[in-house]
Amino acid sequence: MNCHKKLNSIGAALLLAAATLPAMASTPLAGRDQLFHAVAATDPNATYLYDADYNITWLRSTTGANVMTFDLANSWASLNWGGLTGWHLPTAGSVYDPGLYPSTVKGIGSEAAHLYYDVLGDQPGLDHAGNPQTIVRNAGPFGGADGVPAMIWLSGTHATNSDYAYAFSFFAGINAEGPKSGLIGAMAVRNGDVLAVPEPETYAMLLGGLGLVGLVARKRR
């Protein structure tokens, strides 16, 4: 009886390991360390933060303590981080309407607005109609030395003025715009997940363990 219980426990553990190896996609943000292994988003070693909703990875480091112009922000965001390329400033989304407060429907397609409202759960002092509401300020796993900048540059070209660029306010939860020479913060994002793909031997070991558990259990019956 005890042996049977142990086999069941081992089988359950192997199944859990197999289910959690690829990614922790069900969490709002999943941490990845410098070797691209899965860790908690709040872990000090979490260098990268994966957003499964948008299938993007945020760089945990920000320029919250150091502001820069739009051109410098683009250069900073597009650096090679941990051997990875493809980093860029967050997108502004497909809809921009400065007359709406907060940003249009949380910013349709906006990576920054999604992080602000849906992932961090932040709320500005006024709702969409301009009515007062409870302010929520939560930096989440970005609450380190750099912190979340009060405002960050967004990628893309301004619709009407080549000297201007779009930005997102983490203080008011709105899309904004300003001259490219202005000094604000920046955050970097990358498409996809950086989680290290398990070696084929790892899956073979798990499948072999599950098969062994099933074989022993069948013989006992």
Side-chain angles (χ1 to χ4, degrees):
M1 180 64 72
N2 289 336
C3 181
H4 187 65
K5 287 183 177 179
K6 287 181 180 179
L7 287 173
N8 286 338
S9 298
I10 294 172
L14 288 169
L15 285 171
L16 178 62
T20 57
L21 266 176
M24 295 182 294
S26 61
T27 57
L29 286 177
R32 312 291 187 231
D33 64 15
Q34 290 184 334
L35 297 177
F36 315 122
H37 295 148
V39 296
T42 54
D43 191 305
N45 296 315
T47 306
Y48 312 102
L49 299 166
Y50 177 61
D51 176 356
D53 289 342
Y54 273 35
N55 190 30
I56 55 175
T57 297
W58 291 88
L59 182 69
R60 191 172 188 175
S61 297
T62 73
T63 64
N66 300 289
V67 294
M68 55 182 65
T69 65
F70 176 74
D71 291 336
L72 286 176
N74 268 298
S75 297
W76 172 85
S78 60
L79 289 176
N80 181 318
W81 296 99
L84 296 174
T85 57
W87 298 94
H88 55 83
L89 295 176
T91 60
S94 58
V95 175
Y96 177 77
D97 186 348
L100 294 178
Y101 186 91
S103 53
T104 306
V105 193
K106 297 183 179 179
I108 296 177
S110 168
E111 295 165 343
H114 174 67
L115 177 65
Y116 179 88
Y117 286 102
D118 302 321
V119 177
L120 299 179
D122 290 343
Q123 293 289 340
L126 298 177
D127 65 13
H128 197 85
N131 301 312
Q133 63 179 4
T134 302
I135 298 175
V136 178
R137 298 276 183 263
N138 177 30
F142 294 98
D146 293 342
V148 177
M151 184 173 288
I152 61 170
W153 290 111
L154 299 177
S155 63
T157 304
H158 194 278
T160 59
N161 191 331
S162 61
D163 293 327
Y164 273 58
Y166 295 128
F168 184 82
S169 171
F170 276 90
F171 180 78
I174 60 171
N175 283 328
E177 60 182 311
K180 294 179 178 179
S181 59
L183 299 175
I184 61 175
M187 298 175 72
V189 70
R190 185 178 185 272
N191 295 335
D193 192 357
V194 301
L195 183 70
V197 178
E199 297 294 332
E201 292 82 359
T202 303
Y203 283 116
M205 181 182 66
L206 285 169
L207 292 174
L210 287 170
L212 179 60
V213 170
L215 179 61
V216 174
R218 188 177 300 121
K219 285 185 175 181
R220 287 185 61 83
R221 287 197 297 269

